[in-house]
Amino acid sequence: MLAGISGPVLAQQAPPPASSPAAQPPAAAPAPVQAGTIKSISVTGAQRLEPDTVLSYTKLRVGQPYTREALDAALKDLFATELFADVQIRDDAGNLVIEIKENPVINRIVLEGNKRLKEDKIMPEIKLAPRQIFTRSKVRADVARIIELYRRQGRFAATVEPKMVQLDQNRVDIIFEITEGPKSKVRQINIIGNEKFSDGELRSEMATKQARFFRIFSSGTSYDPDRLAYDQQKLRQFYLTEGYADFRVISAVAELTPNKRDFIITYVVEEGDRYKFGDVKVESEIRDLQPATLEKLVPMKKGDWYNAKQVEDTVNSMTETAGLFGYAFAEVNPEFNRSKDDLTMSLTFRVNDAPRVYVERIDINGNTLTQDKVIRREFRLHEGDAFNSFQVKRSADRIKSLGYFQEKLEIEQKPGSAPDRIVLETNVEEKSTGELQLSAGFSSLEKFIVSASIRQRNFRGKGQELRASVNYSNYSKSVELGFTEPYLFDRNIALGGDIFRRDLNSFNYLNNNDRNTTYEQTTTGFQIRAGVPLTEYMSLALRYGLSFDDVTLDRDQFYSDIDGDGDLECDPLLSGRYLCDAIGKRTTSSIGYSLIFDTRDNRVRPTKGHSLTFSQDFAGLGGSVKYIRSRFDADKFWSVGGGFVFSLSAEGGYIHSLEGKRFDETGFEIDKVRLTDRFFLGEPQIRGFDIRGVGPRVVRRFLNADGTVSGQKTDDALGGRAYYLARAELEIPLGSGAKEMGLRPSIFVDAGAVFGLKNPFIDPNPSPGICRNSATGARVTPTGFATCPADAVLVQNPFTEEYLGDTMKPRVSVGFGVNWNSPFGPFRIDIAKALLKEPGDDTKLFTFNVGTQF
């Protein structure tokens, strides 16, 4: 405990004898008894303070008479400064000696026991600081502040014990020993006086929740006095929406249990009578806003149950409508006329007269890096324009979609220099737009992954994007560089470019699980992009790309000397004709466009609106590949209340070859679209299926020597010329605690298919196996089923092939997933069950992706 502070001691002369005149009570009020005249004043014990400074705190002066009351007052004045631990005044026949003991100086402040609240949260609340003078009052105040911090966190059992460690030179260390204790939960919520609605219905309207095991992630189970007041408002709002206009909360009491672990909250309510709407009228004093126009915005009718929320929404709708006509400061006042006789609530919406408003000035505050013009060019209003509330909201949405600022961005409407002038003040708070990431992780798709990337989405504060990335995994490697200028020469024209090198190792499945690399595709190229807006919501994107592809197969695995001439060539029996057809070098020169219609409120985390995209790419502007690829993509988002966001999305595509018919070496006609240009579908596009797990494929099943199926097989996905994919997803909100952890769960339904491939050549008869000459390695004809000539060996068992999955019938899966911005990097887990599938499809129940940042 803190050391005690001794009280003052005053050395005084003995009182005069009883016979002295001074001892006789005067007839008038008693006057102060003089102790003498001050001859001298000295100060002892001062270390940091000058004697004159100590004397300045008292009213004692040399040559003045003094009394015992004056000495007492001097003691009080000195203690009031809180500079001294002890003070004594000694009187030696008028020679006063003030003996002081100064309060120690604080050397440092130490916190012990704080785990839930870190020092950076507590220290700013502590007023004591090193090199300050120690006082008890300041310590008590700091203890109270620390306890209040813990109470805001719901820890009402927290205690703080201050201790003082004496050091040399009259210095001390102040130690606050903190016992945090558990969070005080809300054990029970009692409601008294409710007859029309059950306790459960009313509790569901509150932000505070009773502590139960299934609310482990909810922050609403902790007691919060502010939330208690908020819940009273929620109860009143609920009853007002149900017609109970006289409802009131008589009392709300929160009792802390003796162990300080739980609270029991009791509400006493009075419901009152239920009202219906009476006559509903609209009156407008603004010429451009006729009552007949505004009456279309009134949803309530005479005889409907009274609903205060409907009244509030109607006022907002009328205010927004007035804003669309340029009346930013129009006031819509609902006037109520309550009749307790027939329990009706008549209502008149009165729109007061207001001038039409024009934008006088647009102010932007808070942008330290981002240039003003980057923000101003997103405004749909300009200085001098007539005010329009819709355009103000649209401007805010566009600025948020930049991704440069925090979500709490607001455009405030303030009066201008005249009644018909308005100032739009935009207050932004910038967030980091640069990303430097080195990560390693494990993916169920690509196994071990290493990536490094650097990206600046607001390069030099001009809104430009600069990026570079390197990725490496078992099945893919890539290097990419890109740059985008969103406003070329300060005009609304976006221009960008990318250069890249990608190495892809495609694979098939051996015995359902093991992956075997089939072909390797190396792509090197670049793309130039441009975009221009056509309307507020519609834009056109143009692009040109040039790439060089080289597709190869493993010569040891898929090549053999078929003709016996010593030259190795792709062996269709080892690889399948569909893989032999894919190998070779080719050049793709393509030009394309995308037509985009986007009304989403936020491009990063949309909650409402929709987007439509139609794209086409034409390859054949030079090069060796010729096709037209068409795709569409549509998304729709709804905010369904309570933080839930429901979305529907659909996409599809078709590729049409512009080349002539293609034939293999045997003269069999093959698909005109090459394997590497086709669409593939599976994880992660359609959850519940493995990567490339949906669509056309050739399944090769190996046989034993007796002709029975051995159980071994390979599964080669061939892709398709057409595909479609649809999703329905509901994002589920969690409590603020889980939200701060970055948890975003959702449930979903996926459906899709890829199809439209020309059937590859499949021999209906089982292959007897593949034999190679032991000396030359040349392929030789088997002499029987799984039997080779004496000078040859069997390199592949007999097999049968089957072509499966080429159908447009939908594959459907349902499941749930969680996004988590974990301390180890972004994490996504999905559990999905395939409800509809076709023979040959590869399903997968559980998928995850995680990366570790270091």
Side-chain angles (χ1 to χ4, degrees):
M1 298 294 292
L2 289 171
I5 300 177
S6 61
V9 176
L10 175 62
Q12 306 176 80
Q13 294 180 343
S19 60
S20 171
Q24 304 300 323
V33 178
Q34 285 195 359
T37 302
I38 301 175
K39 300 177 181 178
S40 66
I41 303 175
S42 61
V43 177
T44 63
Q47 293 179 338
R48 297 182 304 273
L49 297 175
E50 295 292 334
D52 290 344
T53 303
V54 176
L55 290 175
S56 67
Y57 296 135
T58 71
K59 297 179 181 178
L60 301 176
R61 298 292 183 268
V62 175
Q64 294 181 353
Y66 68 97
T67 63
R68 300 183 187 278
E69 288 77 5
L71 298 181
D72 287 338
L75 288 173
K76 293 178 181 178
D77 290 340
L78 290 172
F79 275 110
T81 64
E82 295 190 335
L83 296 175
F84 309 105
D86 190 18
V87 180
Q88 298 181 18
I89 300 179
R90 300 191 180 277
D91 182 9
D92 184 11
N95 297 310
L96 301 183
V97 179
I98 302 176
E99 299 179 355
I100 63 173
K101 182 180 179 181
E102 296 179 357
N103 272 333
V105 174
I106 297 173
N107 179 56
R108 60 175 181 154
I109 307 292
V110 180
L111 301 178
E112 293 183 355
N114 57 308
K115 296 179 180 179
R116 301 296 180 180
L117 280 178
K118 301 303 180 184
E119 288 194 10
D120 60 346
K121 300 292 184 183
I122 300 178
M123 282 301 189
E125 297 294 325
I126 296 178
K127 302 306 179 184
L128 287 174
R131 295 184 295 277
Q132 284 187 357
I133 303 299
F134 164 83
T135 66
R136 275 183 173 274
S137 61
K138 289 182 179 179
V139 172
R140 286 193 294 267
D142 284 342
V143 168
R145 275 188 284 266
I146 295 173
I147 290 177
E148 180 61 26
L149 276 179
Y150 277 96
R151 289 191 171 187
R152 291 178 198 167
Q153 298 288 324
R155 299 182 184 276
F156 283 78
T159 60
V160 180
E161 184 177 352
K163 291 187 176 181
M164 183 172 67
V165 178
Q166 294 283 354
L167 303 175
D168 56 0
Q169 298 179 353
N170 200 22
R171 296 176 301 127
V172 293
D173 285 344
I174 304 300
I175 301 174
F176 293 100
E177 290 188 353
I178 301 171
T179 303
E180 295 181 318
K183 270 197 172 186
S184 302
K185 301 291 186 179
V186 177
R187 179 193 298 176
Q188 186 70 30
I189 300 177
N190 301 317
I191 305 174
I192 301 173
N194 55 310
E195 298 177 357
K196 305 300 182 181
F197 301 98
S198 67
D199 288 5
E201 288 179 287
L202 298 182
R203 290 192 195 111
S204 66
E205 297 295 321
M206 300 179 184
T208 304
K209 303 296 180 184
Q210 297 178 134
R212 298 295 184 266
F213 73 92
F214 53 84
R215 295 195 177 108
I216 186 172
F217 291 115
S218 175
S219 61
T221 57
S222 299
Y223 174 72
D224 186 340
D226 295 334
R227 196 184 294 133
L228 185 68
Y230 176 71
D231 287 338
Q232 295 181 58
Q233 293 296 324
K234 293 286 288 184
L235 283 175
R236 176 164 175 76
Q237 289 175 7
F238 172 73
Y239 271 94
L240 288 176
T241 59
E242 297 294 332
Y244 295 89
D246 296 328
F247 172 83
R248 65 192 183 101
V249 178
I250 297 176
S251 66
V253 179
E255 297 176 286
L256 186 62
T257 57
N259 62 5
K260 296 186 178 182
R261 289 178 175 269
D262 299 300
F263 275 89
I264 298 175
I265 301 176
T266 302
Y267 294 95
V268 179
V269 302
E270 182 180 308
E271 293 180 323
D273 296 319
R274 193 178 189 188
Y275 287 78
K276 290 185 176 181
F277 280 112
D279 295 327
V280 181
K281 302 177 182 178
V282 178
E283 297 180 0
S284 174
E285 298 177 1
I286 297 178
R287 182 182 59 184
D288 294 338
L289 294 176
Q290 296 300 319
T293 302
L294 298 177
E295 284 174 358
K296 298 176 182 178
L297 304 175
V298 179
M300 66 282 293
K301 305 295 181 186
K302 184 176 182 179
D304 293 347
W305 289 112
Y306 173 73
N307 188 328
K309 183 68 167 57
Q310 276 190 335
V311 176
E312 181 182 349
D313 292 343
T314 303
V315 169
N316 291 336
S317 297
M318 290 184 178
T319 303
E320 289 180 3
T321 301
L324 291 176
F325 284 86
Y327 298 93
F329 303 119
E331 292 184 0
V332 180
N333 297 319
E335 298 177 355
F336 300 93
N337 185 10
R338 181 182 310 183
S339 173
K340 293 193 174 183
D341 295 334
D342 56 1
L343 297 179
T344 60
M345 184 79 71
S346 297
L347 181 62
T348 300
F349 293 98
R350 187 178 304 280
V351 184
N352 297 330
D353 191 19
R356 194 172 188 184
V357 176
Y358 296 85
V359 179
E360 178 180 359
R361 193 173 69 253
I362 297 176
D363 293 338
I364 300 173
N365 304 318
N367 55 314
T368 56
L369 172 66
T370 307
Q371 297 183 6
D372 269 18
K373 68 177 183 180
V374 174
I375 303 173
R376 289 184 181 275
R377 65 197 183 194
E378 300 300 327
F379 270 88
R380 304 298 94 183
L381 286 169
H382 298 89
E383 292 162 348
D385 290 350
F387 176 82
N388 187 306
S389 58
F390 175 79
Q391 298 291 11
V392 173
K393 184 179 183 304
R394 176 61 179 166
S395 301
D397 289 344
R398 288 179 63 94
I399 296 172
K400 289 178 183 178
S401 293
L402 292 174
Y404 307 156
F405 311 107
Q406 302 291 349
E407 288 295 317
K408 58 183 180 181
L409 178 144
E410 294 180 358
I411 299 179
E412 298 182 11
Q413 303 168 19
K414 295 187 174 182
S417 58
D420 62 344
R421 295 290 183 268
I422 189 172
V423 175
L424 301 180
E425 185 175 287
T426 307
N427 298 303
V428 301
E429 182 180 346
E430 292 184 321
K431 64 181 181 181
S432 176
T433 57
E435 301 169 9
L436 175 62
Q437 182 175 0
L438 301 175
S439 62
F442 184 86
S443 165
S444 59
L445 282 177
E446 301 185 84
K447 305 304 180 186
F448 187 71
I449 301 172
V450 177
S451 67
S453 64
I454 183 170
R455 183 187 182 200
Q456 175 54 260
R457 294 181 290 110
N458 189 14
F459 185 55
R460 298 188 299 166
K462 295 183 176 182
Q464 301 166 336
E465 181 176 330
L466 181 66
R467 59 192 177 276
S469 65
V470 178
N471 296 280
Y472 174 88
S473 72
N474 282 358
Y475 292 98
S476 66
K477 307 171 187 65
S478 67
V479 177
E480 297 190 26
L481 298 173
F483 177 79
T484 302
E485 167 56 72
Y487 275 75
L488 186 64
F489 304 124
D490 290 331
R491 297 183 178 273
N492 201 353
I493 300 174
L495 183 67
D498 304 277
I499 57 175
F500 53 85
R501 167 66 182 263
R502 305 185 185 111
D503 293 348
L504 170 67
N505 294 343
S506 186
F507 54 85
N508 62 11
Y509 288 95
L510 296 176
N511 308 322
N512 295 329
N513 296 319
D514 297 330
R515 295 180 179 181
N516 174 53
T517 299
T518 53
Y519 67 86
E520 299 179 4
Q521 180 182 0
T522 301
T523 304
T524 305
F526 69 89
Q527 186 181 72
I528 299 175
R529 298 168 281 103
V532 292
L534 303 179
T535 66
E536 175 62 25
Y537 299 104
M538 184 176 290
S539 59
L540 175 67
L542 304 173
R543 57 188 167 272
Y544 171 77
L546 180 65
S547 62
F548 304 92
D549 294 286
D550 185 8
V551 180
T552 59
L553 293 175
D554 186 346
R555 298 179 67 86
D556 294 334
Q557 184 177 355
F558 298 112
Y559 279 63
S560 64
D561 182 3
I562 300 175
D563 303 328
D565 56 1
D567 294 332
L568 296 179
E569 52 188 307
C570 184
D571 192 335
L573 291 180
L574 291 173
S575 63
R577 287 184 174 84
Y578 37 86
L579 287 182
C580 289
D581 296 335
I583 62 175
K585 296 183 179 181
R586 58 185 62 93
T587 301
T588 303
S589 175
S590 66
I591 187 170
Y593 72 93
S594 294
L595 197 59
I596 305 164
F597 184 78
D598 191 348
T599 66
R600 293 174 298 174
D601 61 338
N602 193 311
R603 296 171 191 167
V604 181
R605 288 286 303 278
T607 60
K608 62 181 179 179
H610 60 269
S611 67
L612 301 170
T613 303
F614 178 74
S615 304
Q616 281 191 312
D617 289 278
F618 167 70
L621 198 68
S624 56
V625 178
K626 296 178 174 60
Y627 62 74
I628 292 180
R629 178 188 283 121
S630 302
R631 297 183 62 177
F632 78 90
D633 193 344
D635 300 281
K636 176 69 176 177
F637 296 86
W638 293 270
S639 180
V640 292
F644 289 87
V645 178
F646 179 68
S647 63
L648 289 175
S649 63
E651 63 177 278
Y654 181 78
I655 182 169
H656 174 71
S657 176
L658 300 178
E659 301 179 24
K661 293 182 178 181
R662 299 171 61 229
F663 300 89
D664 63 14
E665 294 179 355
T666 65
F668 184 82
E669 184 179 354
I670 59 178
D671 201 281
K672 294 189 291 184
V673 179
R674 290 177 173 81
L675 179 68
T676 54
D677 295 327
R678 298 170 191 164
F679 296 110
F680 289 88
L681 200 59
E683 183 194 347
Q685 300 96 335
I686 179 168
R687 293 156 287 194
F689 293 87
D690 212 334
I691 183 172
R692 298 187 175 184
V694 173
R697 63 195 57 251
V698 172
V699 178
R700 178 178 288 189
R701 292 182 173 86
F702 294 97
L703 308 175
N704 296 316
D706 59 359
T708 59
V709 178
S710 68
Q712 295 183 334
K713 69 174 184 177
T714 62
D715 184 343
D716 286 298
L718 304 185
R721 286 183 291 176
Y723 86 100
Y724 67 86
L725 178 62
R727 300 186 190 92
E729 190 158 2
L730 179 66
E731 186 174 313
I732 303 170
L734 295 177
S736 59
K739 189 175 181 181
E740 290 175 0
M741 293 172 59
L743 289 173
R744 292 188 293 115
S746 64
I747 56 176
F748 57 82
V749 177
D750 292 348
V754 58
F755 53 92
L757 196 63
K758 185 174 181 60
N759 291 7
F761 176 79
I762 299 294
D763 192 338
N765 301 314
S767 167
I770 300 176
C771 300
R772 280 183 179 174
N773 186 283
S774 301
T776 64
R779 196 178 77 186
V780 296
T781 303
T783 58
F785 197 79
T787 305
C788 299
D791 59 348
V793 294
L794 185 69
V795 296
Q796 191 170 95
N797 288 333
F799 60 84
T800 62
E801 288 185 328
E802 189 176 7
Y803 180 58
L804 301 170
D806 192 0
T807 174
M808 63 184 302
K809 292 181 180 179
R811 281 69 153 182
V812 179
S813 66
V814 61
F816 65 92
V818 177
N819 277 316
W820 179 29
N821 293 329
S822 73
F824 313 103
F827 182 94
R828 171 76 191 188
I829 181 173
D830 288 300
I831 297 178
K833 173 68 174 176
L835 301 181
L836 295 179
K837 61 180 181 178
E838 293 297 318
D841 290 346
D842 298 320
T843 60
K844 193 172 188 178
L845 178 67
F846 175 83
T847 58
F848 72 93
N849 287 279
V850 63
T852 301
Q853 297 187 353
F854 57 87

